[in-house]
Each structure stands twice: as C-alpha cells, then as structure tokens.
Amino acid sequence: MFVLVNLKTYPCDPVDVAEAVRDVNDATDARLAVAPQAAHIERVAETGVETWAQHVDAIEHGSNTGHTLAESVADAGAVGTLINHSERRLKLADIDGAVRAAERADLETVVCANNPAQIGAAAALGPDAVAVEPPALIGTGTPVSQADPDVVEDAVEAAANVDSTVSVLCGAGISTGDDVVAAGDLGAEGVLLASGVAKADDPHSALEDLVEPL
Ligand code: G3P
C-alpha cells in the first residue's frame, strides 16, 4: 500500500514529520511519502523521505507570477505531485495541463477527485494514479472506507473502465491501520491522509499504527 501524507498548511514541523515518515517507511513494506507545502519541499527532501508537491500549475518557464512550476518542485527534490486536491480545485483543462507539466518534469502524478464520475474523467487524462476523496469526510476522522465504501469500489471500477494502468487511492478521515486495510480490501492501492498524522501529538507513533497491520 502507498501511504501519502499531505501536510496541507497545518502548523506542524514539516521536517519532524518527514523524519517520522522516512523512519517508518524504512521499517515497513508499505511505501510512505510526504507532501509538504512548496516552500518546505527542499528541507523535507533533504531528510531522504520520498517527497511530493501538493500542487503544480499548467505552465512552463516564463511570465507566470505566483504560480508553481513543475520543474522547480522537481529541482527542490519532489518526485511526485498531487493535482486538483479538493482544497486546490482546477478546471479540467488545467488538470490536463498540470499532468503534462508534471510529466515534463518527471514527477509522478496523483489526480484527486470528489466522486467516481470525476475519477473516470481524471483517469482519462493519463495520470499515474487518481485519488477519490469525498470532501464532506475530509478532516472528520470518519474514514471513507467505513462511511462510504461504495464510493471507493465505484471509483476503482470507474478508473479501470477508462485505463487499467491508473492506480486508485482513496482518502478522507483515514487515521488507523484498520482504515488502511479496509481501503485495500475495497480495491484501493493506497491512501491519502493528512490530519491523522499532521495533527497528531506524536506523528511517529501515529504512522506506526497506520502501517502496523500491513
Ligand atoms: O489530502 C488528504 C486529505 O484531504 C484527507 O485529509 O485530514 O481527512 O486525512 P484527512
């Protein structure tokens, strides 16, 4: 299972969490990675953890003030990027452009979507993976695998109908190892999570609990 920890703009120490993700990754068969804010990518990547960006824009080098260039996050040490997170929604053409920009910079891509219909559309753009996250469950601690298992199974089917090479992750409310196992049982190849780790008093032990049953 792939466990991607999104730090959003939570007030945690990104390097402390990155070191915890790195150490727990080294002690398990699961693949763990962390997505800090763009300004923290370089410091986080220096810990040796697998580092992702939270967003890149559909742009190239040039006159694009205030945008995030895929090549720059790659230069800073990111190896992948989220695109179209629920808290950073893009228009369809911009999702497509961001996937192309990420490919150009050799970044792995996870395109997020609210529901199975959007997952089908996202898979058609050819990312490496898609992630289904019902916005209403984000940050609630109620896992999508429990509150809405159909949405995960339907997302897996929707992606497979379009492109069987695109992996499916799920996210929202995931904070325990049982939640991760349940996501896998529903067909997801990984999970996207944030508050369960970024807001934990002890991120290292929160991560250990997450991967313990894997
Ligand atoms: O990107 C992960 C996400 O939106 C889920 O957040 O806090 O419910 O794990 P959370």
Side-chain angles (χ1 to χ4, degrees), residues 4-8 10 82 85-87 112 133-135 137-142 170-175 191-199:
L4 180 51
V5 180
N6 176 8
L7 301 186
K8 305 196 174 185
Y10 285 127
L82 297 173
H85 189 276
S86 180
E87 294 147 8
C112 303
E133 292 201 311
L137 295 174
I138 290 178
T140 60
T142 300
C170 68
I174 290 174
S175 64
V191 295
L192 192 52
L193 62 97
S195 47
V197 171
K199 293 172 84 174

Side-chain angles (χ1 to χ4, degrees), residues 2-10 12-14 16-18 20-22 24-25 31-37 44 49-54 82 85 110 133 169-170 174 180 190-200 203-204 206-208 210-211:
F2 181 35
V3 177
L4 180 51
V5 180
N6 176 8
L7 301 186
K8 305 196 174 185
T9 56
Y10 285 127
C12 57
D13 181 324
D16 279 355
V17 179
V21 173
R22 176 200 63 198
V24 174
N25 176 73
R31 171 188 173 196
L32 277 75
V34 65
Q37 295 176 55
V44 162
V49 75
E50 181 177 328
T51 305
W52 281 55
Q54 296 179 8
L82 297 173
H85 189 276
V110 172
E133 292 201 311
L169 316 184
C170 68
I174 290 174
V180 180
V191 295
L192 192 52
L193 62 97
S195 47
V197 171
K199 293 172 84 174
H204 189 278
L207 286 159
E208 280 182 327
L210 272 165
V211 301

